[in-house]
Amino acid sequence: QVQLVESGGGLVQAGGSLRLSCAASGNTLRLRAMGWHRQAPGNQRELVAYITSDGSTQYADSAKGRFAISIDNDTHTAYLQMNNLKSEDTAVYYCKAETHWKEYSGEYLENHWGQGTQVTVSS
């Protein structure tokens, strides 16, 4: 199992910045990727940014040019630097970790979620 602890959410004015952190613990040897999703009231949870352990990244169109995801493989911590925040970025942000392993019976992939951290951007 992998446990995730998020931090860094809060209230910020439009145009401001926040940095979210997500620390993974437990069976981190199987960790292959981490990412951030968000969910605003009345909306479905959506991908914001994603990074693999070798540094490959993926961003939602709304995040490109404003957000940057990074990972510290030594501490198993993922970061999401969010700049030029907009009111539409207001949501609960959830960290997600993917673990992958092989056994004689086959390959396995498991998703793990953090508890979520609130980001509120005032206009």
Side-chain angles (χ1 to χ4, degrees), residues 29-97:
L29 287 177
R30 295 176 173 178
L31 201 60
R32 78 164 189 180
M34 296 181 75
W36 292 92
H37 290 63
R38 68 186 182 188
Q39 187 168 18
N43 291 355
Q44 290 187 333
R45 191 173 297 189
E46 61 178 5
L47 173 70
V48 177
Y50 175 89
I51 186 168
T52 63
S53 56
D54 64 0
S56 298
T57 59
Q58 178 184 347
Y59 293 93
D61 288 342
S62 59
K64 290 178 182 176
R66 299 188 299 128
F67 295 1
I69 190 170
S70 59
I71 191 168
D72 183 332
N73 287 315
D74 292 331
T75 62
H76 311 295
T77 301
Y79 301 95
L80 183 68
Q81 178 66 42
M82 303 187 293
N83 300 323
N84 190 22
L85 283 160
K86 305 175 181 180
S87 57
E88 51 263 43
D89 295 318
T90 295
V92 178
Y93 284 69
Y94 295 92
C95 177
K96 175 186 169 184

Side-chain angles (χ1 to χ4, degrees), residues 2-6 22-25 31 34 76 95-97 112-115:
V2 171
Q3 295 79 42
L4 303 173
V5 177
E6 300 146 336
C22 176
S25 61
L31 201 60
M34 296 181 75
H76 311 295
C95 177
K96 175 186 169 184
H112 311 266
W113 292 92
Q115 78 283 1

